Amino acid sequence: FFLPQVLGKMKTVGTTGIAFWISVYMLCSSMLLLVNKLAIYFLKVPSFILFCQLAASAVFVKGAAIGGFIAVDDMSWNHLKPFSIVAGAFLATIFANMKTLQYANVETFIVFRACTPLALCVLDYIFLGRQLPNGRSIVCLLALALGAYGYVINDKTFEVRGYMWVGIWFVVFLFDMIFLKHATNTVKVKSNWTRVFYSNFLPCFPLVAMGLYSQEKPEWSTKGISILLLSCIMGLMMSYVSWMARSLISATAFSIVGNVCKFITIFVNCLIWDNHASARSIACLSVCLVAAFFYQQAPLREEVLQSPKKDVELAKTNLSGKNKE
């Protein structure tokens, strides 16, 4: 129970604090990706692994709340309603992602994933009160998309297939990013742990049905169980820091951070294995990383900042809600 106490003490944040949480998120995201790959390799049951991660996080948070270590809101319709949509968007994104990779190659997915910030910056403006990106940021967004495109056409034969599922995933992903940011801004909670609890607890029920339908049977081993336990710990950390990072930056910026995580993973993979990428491909990935570094988050519009009836992000002054844990 040391982790909740440490995280709960960080109530205010400046530029350094934002950079810290984004860095932790990127680290957790990269590590969880590796751990999940190992867990799937040993156990062969992706739905069961995801269920264990979500259920373990929900049980941990509830247990810590009962023990008085952290503050979590009691069950209420005010929380169940928005977080049910969050859970639905989460599962829909996973399902659409799986179908996209089934009918379209990975390179196609990378390009479309890199293009999501171009749409999100407009949705940030329409729904979340952000200004449109300045000239520098627009150039960076275009460089991100072009860098990803350059990577796939130089590294492998690029072929766009599965238009329908790629389009469905694109729309679902945009909704997921915008609604989760909206929920972060508008749903009042005692602490970030409330978001962690609901976002892990609610998806467990449909995942049980999905697991039964797919008739997954785990291949148990000592290594598999150990990695599964590690993935549950990593899943809890990832859930907390992802909500924290999401509360501190815009939906567009959060998407760019997610893209950078994937680019770094590809970049490291290219360096480790000789047959994975050409010099041109690595140069394109470098363009993506540089573009992400120079991207500037669009500020809130003046009318949003001046209107008390509008939802203004409180992350810089209060990370965990108005009430102390």
Side-chain angles (χ1 to χ4, degrees):
F1 296 106
F2 176 72
L3 177 63
Q5 296 179 29
V6 172
L7 297 177
K9 291 179 181 179
M10 194 170 181
K11 296 296 181 181
T12 58
V13 64
T15 304
T16 303
I18 294 174
F20 168 79
W21 284 112
I22 291 175
S23 300
V24 174
Y25 167 75
M26 293 175 68
L27 177 63
C28 288
S29 177
S30 301
M31 292 179 64
L32 184 58
L33 176 62
L34 175 61
V35 172
N36 280 342
K37 285 185 176 181
L38 290 173
I40 293 173
Y41 174 79
F42 283 105
L43 298 175
K44 316 296 184 184
V45 282
S47 296
F48 176 74
I49 293 169
L50 180 58
F51 170 79
C52 289
Q53 292 175 358
L54 298 177
S57 295
V59 170
F60 174 86
V61 172
K62 197 63 177 179
I66 293 174
F69 295 97
I70 59 176
V72 177
D73 295 82
D74 295 328
M75 282 278 192
S76 69
W77 179 245
N78 290 334
H79 291 125
L80 281 172
K81 183 179 179 181
F83 281 105
S84 294
I85 300 176
V86 168
F90 170 72
L91 292 175
T93 302
I94 292 177
F95 178 77
N97 189 12
M98 292 171 61
K99 299 300 290 186
T100 297
L101 293 176
Q102 179 181 350
Y103 292 103
N105 53 28
V106 176
E107 289 74 26
T108 303
F109 179 76
I110 291 174
V111 171
F112 277 85
R113 179 66 171 82
C115 291
T116 54
L118 294 171
L120 283 170
C121 67
V122 178
L123 297 178
D124 262 338
Y125 174 81
I126 297 173
F127 296 108
L128 299 176
R130 291 275 172 183
Q131 296 180 19
L132 290 173
N134 57 26
R136 165 178 159 177
S137 293
I138 291 175
V139 171
C140 290
L141 291 175
L142 292 174
L144 276 167
L146 292 175
Y149 179 75
Y151 164 75
V152 299
I153 64 173
N154 279 289
D155 189 40
K156 294 181 179 180
T157 301
F158 179 51
E159 177 187 3
V160 178
R161 295 182 284 113
Y163 282 105
M164 184 184 74
W165 281 110
V166 172
I168 291 173
W169 171 86
F170 195 84
V171 173
V172 171
F173 179 82
L174 294 180
F175 174 80
D176 178 72
M177 296 295 293
I178 292 296
F179 186 83
L180 263 65
K181 180 60 179 178
H182 170 73
T184 303
N185 291 349
T186 59
V187 181
K188 295 183 179 180
V189 295
K190 290 181 178 180
S191 74
N192 193 50
W193 290 109
T194 298
R195 302 185 187 110
V196 174
F197 173 73
Y198 279 103
S199 61
N200 284 278
F201 173 70
L202 293 176
C204 286
F205 299 100
L207 272 176
V208 172
M210 290 173 62
L212 293 175
Y213 175 78
S214 61
Q215 297 182 339
E216 294 181 344
K217 294 181 180 180
E219 298 179 4
W220 296 111
S221 65
T222 303
K223 286 185 178 180
I225 294 174
S226 300
I227 294 173
L228 178 62
L229 292 175
L230 178 60
S231 74
C232 290
I233 296 173
M234 292 298 304
L236 173 63
M237 295 175 62
M238 179 63 179
S239 184
Y240 188 93
V241 298
S242 64
W243 277 108
M244 188 64 72
R246 196 184 297 272
S247 71
L248 294 172
I249 57 179
S250 68
T252 304
F254 188 79
S255 177
I256 290 174
V257 172
N259 285 346
V260 171
C261 290
K262 291 175 175 57
F263 295 148
I264 291 176
T265 300
I266 297 171
F267 191 84
V268 172
N269 198 44
C270 291
L271 296 179
I272 294 176
W273 303 102
D274 294 334
N275 61 340
H276 268 248
S278 63
R280 289 183 179 180
S281 297
I282 294 177
C284 290
L285 289 176
S286 300
V287 169
C288 293
L289 296 177
V290 172
F293 177 80
F294 285 103
Y295 172 82
Q296 290 180 324
Q297 176 177 266
L300 291 169
R301 299 198 297 273
E302 286 298 323
E303 61 267 27
V304 176
L305 291 170
Q306 294 174 2
S307 175
K309 295 181 180 180
K310 296 285 185 178
D311 295 307
V312 180
E313 290 177 297
L314 301 178
K316 289 188 177 181
T317 56
N318 191 351
L319 290 179
S320 303
K322 293 183 179 180
N323 299 322
K324 293 184 177 180
E325 294 182 8

